[in-house]
Amino acid sequence: MIDLAKVDELARKLTELVPPGLKEARADLEQNFKATLQAGLNRLELVTREEFDVQRAVLLRTREKLEALEKRLAELEARGGSPDTSAH
């Protein structure tokens, strides 16, 4: 989710950079800046930090399971056996 307060703040800062001769158009420019920033950020398909952390944890657990399975397979192969395919 995009933090709209940060977008508003950035649009305000951009508006402050407008030359003094265009101050009358300031409100209009600020709205255009906000709309452009929001559209650009939406196209990036960003995720929240919380969503990122959840996916990171899932990936970590998956990696740990994969490493355990690889170790077990290596042990079985070292003993000259094959994985037990009858135990489903």
Side-chain angles (χ1 to χ4, degrees):
M1 192 76 186
I2 296 169
D3 185 356
L4 295 178
K6 297 231 186 235
V7 172
D8 288 344
E9 179 183 339
L10 184 54
R12 237 183 336 276
K13 286 181 180 181
L14 287 170
T15 304
E16 290 171 5
L17 298 174
V18 173
L22 297 175
K23 294 292 184 190
E24 325 57 70
R26 197 174 208 170
D28 199 30
L29 285 170
E30 188 170 340
Q31 287 300 97
N32 287 334
F33 288 148
K34 277 196 253 187
T36 302
L37 289 168
Q38 287 175 348
L41 291 172
N42 285 334
R43 278 195 304 271
L44 293 177
E45 297 181 18
L46 302 173
V47 297
T48 64
R49 182 64 191 200
E50 181 180 350
E51 291 168 322
F52 175 82
D53 289 342
V54 166
Q55 289 304 312
R56 185 171 182 254
V58 169
L59 178 59
L60 181 61
R61 284 193 306 272
T62 302
R63 186 177 296 147
E64 290 168 351
K65 288 179 183 179
L66 176 61
E67 289 171 357
L69 287 172
E70 287 173 337
K71 182 179 176 184
R72 173 107 168 100
L73 179 60
E75 290 170 356
L76 290 171
E77 288 175 341
R79 285 192 286 181
S82 61
D84 184 13
T85 57
S86 64
H88 278 66

